[in-house]
Each structure stands twice: as C-alpha cells, then as structure tokens.
Amino acid sequence: MAADAESLRKAVQGWGTDERALIEILGRRTAAQRAEVRRAYAGLYRESLLDRLRSELSGDFRTAMVLWAMDPAERGARLANAALAAASRTITDQHAWALVEVACASAPDHLVAVRRAYRSLFGCSLEEGAAACPALQDPLRKLLVSLVRSYRCEAELVDEDVAGMEAAQLAEAIRRRKQPHGDQVIRIVSTRSKHQLRATFRRYKQEHGTGIDEDIAKHSSSQFAKILRSAVWCLTSPEKHFAEAIRYSILGFGTDEETLTRAIVSGSEIGMERIKEYKARFKTTVTSDVVGDTSGNYKDFLLTLVGSED
C-alpha cells in the first residue's frame, strides 16, 4: 500500500488539498487495506495519516473521512464515548443507537477490540462508562450495560429446545405482560449467540404470526422498547437498523449529519449492499436521499461509501 500512501501524501501537500483523490483512494479500500495504508504512511512520512486528515479537512467531510480512515475498534470506542458524553443530561435514541451499534452490529471479537481500545483511550471500561452515565436510568441502563459487556459465542450450533423455551419467555414478557424491559428479555438478548437468537426469533414468529420486532413496537412505545428493537435488528439484521438510522437522519427539518455519517460509515463496514430494503421500505434510495440533503465533498464521500444500489 506504499503507492496509496504516496498518493495520499501528494493529495495533502501544497497549497490545496486534493479531496477527490482522498475520496477515490480511501473510500474504496477495505478496513484491512486502510490499516496497511496507515502503517505505510506513518513509516514513509513519520506522521499519522489521521492527524494529517484532521489538519487538512474541515466540517462534516473531515468527520466522515477521519472516522472511515480510523481503525474500526478505535472508531467504535470513540463513537461510544462521544455518545455517552453527549448524553450527560439526557439520552436520545440516537445516543443509544451508537452504543447498540457498537455492541451488536458486528462480530463478538470486534466488541472485545472496542472495549480494549476504549480502556486505552479513556482510562475506564466501556461498561463503566455506560453505567456511570448520569442520563441513563434503568431499565435502559441495564440493557445497554449488558449489551456492551457481553461476549457472544460465534459458534453456529443452535439448540432448538432453548429457542422454543426462550421464544415463549419473550412472548410472555412482550405480548402478555407488556413488559419488554423484563429481566428475561435483557438476559436473552444480551447473552445468546446471534445464531441462537435468529432461531429463537424464528420460533417466535412461527408461534405468534408476527416478528418480535413488530410486537415490541406494537405493545410498547417507550424509549426502552425502541432501543430494544434496534438491538434485535443489529443482532440479526443490521441492515434494517442502519436503513432506519439513515432515513431518520434525512427526515424532518434539517439533516442530522452526525447520525447520517455514523450510519453510513458503520453500515459500510458490514456492507452497504445489504441495505437493499431501503428502497422497498421508503420508496427511495440512500443515494437519492444523500444527494438531496448533503453537498460538496461530504456528499461525494458518502456516495462513494454507499456505492451502487442497482
């Protein structure tokens, strides 16, 4: 990746920055390739690529580019910390989404790496940071702390008897008692493997005719229920959550650039090609919404990450 590092150096030297070159190079590299580019750049020029990007760029474009160029574990740690810091007085759905995305949307090993990076960067554990957030109150605090401290088995082995039993426990809490915040719900969602959860949620729909995400929304309108549904999506179909987050950021008066940037950058790591349901659900494309609500290099970079939606 020395050639990429040299091209990036040319793009940031001189009287102006070649933003198009930055977009074309970094926007089309995988996480592993970007790590190689960072190492090559540091080795050749004795400076951090991230620091150089921070000094050369500005605004939403800088935020998006630096997040994308960053090691994914460091990015997750910084996004989680920023969400907790912003939620010092009140926690919005968007703050909680950031924590849920970090905890649930990627592989268990990624969360372990995020926790390691968080402690290194901020001097405490992610779990401690979430537990100490003054705006977080139970049961939402209990859910989020349980999610960020979890370590899920990645084995594909599924116990169908457990799936049936826990589907019944979830239905009891969500459908009959109207208590999605019950201890059993939090335990199941925060400890079971993703393969086991898919089996459980499949049994739930077979038994009751509706998906667990639909029932969560139907039987409770609380903030806890909204975040629980996001966790269910991130654990089993993260493209549903990221589609929802992108659409939320676009709607209303003004664009929520923070949410839009995070959703597209994080969603791109799992593969934006998976967000095919966006058009089916919202009768438009991510590309169309981004073009309509952003501009300049920021728009061009987001579109590069989104890629083709054909």
Side-chain angles (χ1 to χ4, degrees):
M1 290 295 168
D4 277 354
E6 291 169 4
S7 296
L8 290 171
R9 181 69 169 182
K10 291 177 183 177
V12 297
Q13 277 190 317
W15 286 101
T17 303
D18 186 349
E19 289 90 352
R20 170 48 56 186
L22 297 179
I23 293 170
E24 285 299 315
I25 297 168
L26 291 173
R28 302 185 189 281
R29 299 295 182 267
T30 66
Q33 290 170 334
R34 297 194 304 274
E36 291 183 27
V37 171
R38 288 195 305 273
R39 286 192 291 268
Y41 188 95
L44 287 169
Y45 306 112
R46 299 295 184 266
E47 70 172 6
S48 161
L49 175 60
L50 294 180
D51 288 344
R52 189 58 184 245
L53 292 173
R54 289 187 182 102
S55 69
E56 293 289 333
L57 307 178
S58 62
D60 295 319
F61 177 51
R62 175 175 62 185
T63 300
M65 180 62 79
V66 170
L67 281 175
W68 178 248
M70 198 177 287
D71 174 75
E74 180 183 349
R75 180 201 306 141
R78 291 191 181 280
L79 287 173
N81 182 260
L84 290 171
S88 59
R89 293 186 178 181
T90 182
I91 184 152
T92 66
D93 292 353
Q94 292 69 52
H95 298 144
W97 281 353
L99 295 171
V100 168
E101 290 160 12
V102 166
C104 303
S106 298
D109 284 346
H110 173 72
L111 178 55
V112 172
V114 169
R115 289 200 294 252
R116 190 180 303 119
Y118 194 98
R119 183 176 288 280
S120 175
L121 289 166
F122 305 112
C124 69
S125 71
L126 176 54
E127 176 185 348
E128 290 168 337
C133 180
L136 270 178
Q137 302 295 322
D138 287 336
L140 183 57
R141 174 170 56 188
K142 184 174 182 179
L143 173 65
L144 293 175
V145 170
S146 297
L147 290 174
V148 301
R149 75 181 178 196
S150 69
Y151 183 77
R152 302 173 195 275
C153 174
E154 290 193 82
E156 296 185 14
L157 183 66
V158 167
D159 188 323
E160 290 293 344
D161 290 337
V162 170
M165 177 184 69
E166 294 189 337
Q169 292 172 344
L170 291 169
E172 172 74 9
I174 294 168
R175 293 174 66 91
R176 196 175 77 80
R177 296 184 181 178
K178 311 295 191 291
Q179 293 181 344
H181 55 275
D183 287 347
Q184 290 282 44
V185 177
I186 294 175
R187 176 188 63 79
I188 293 167
V189 170
S190 64
T191 62
R192 295 304 188 194
S193 74
K194 294 186 178 185
H195 291 287
Q196 185 67 43
L197 286 172
R198 288 189 186 98
T200 298
F201 298 158
R202 201 160 46 240
R203 289 288 292 274
Y204 184 104
K205 188 169 185 177
Q206 289 170 357
E207 294 292 331
H208 304 288
T210 54
I212 186 172
D213 55 338
E214 298 172 86
D215 275 354
I216 290 170
K218 177 180 178 181
H219 294 293
S220 177
S221 59
S222 67
Q223 185 184 37
F224 179 93
K226 295 176 185 176
I227 303 309
L228 176 63
R229 186 179 69 159
S230 294
V232 166
W233 279 347
C234 281
L235 286 164
T236 58
S237 305
E239 63 275 10
K240 290 184 178 180
H241 166 76
F242 287 116
E244 184 98 343
I246 292 168
R247 186 62 173 169
Y248 163 83
S249 71
I250 296 293
L251 294 179
F253 296 102
T255 305
D256 180 349
E257 289 88 359
E258 181 180 345
T259 299
L260 178 62
T261 298
R262 192 188 69 245
I264 289 183
V265 168
S266 299
S268 294
E269 293 286 23
I270 67 164
M272 285 297 291
E273 70 276 2
R274 294 172 62 185
I275 310 184
K276 296 298 185 185
E277 68 171 60
Y278 195 93
K279 187 173 184 179
R281 288 177 63 188
F282 304 122
K283 310 306 179 189
T284 185
T285 62
V286 177
T287 296
S288 177
D289 277 350
V290 168
V291 168
D293 274 59
T294 63
S295 62
N297 294 314
Y298 177 56
K299 176 196 70 176
D300 293 342
F301 183 53
L302 294 184
L303 292 178
T304 299
L305 297 185
V306 169
S308 173
E309 293 183 81
D310 294 336

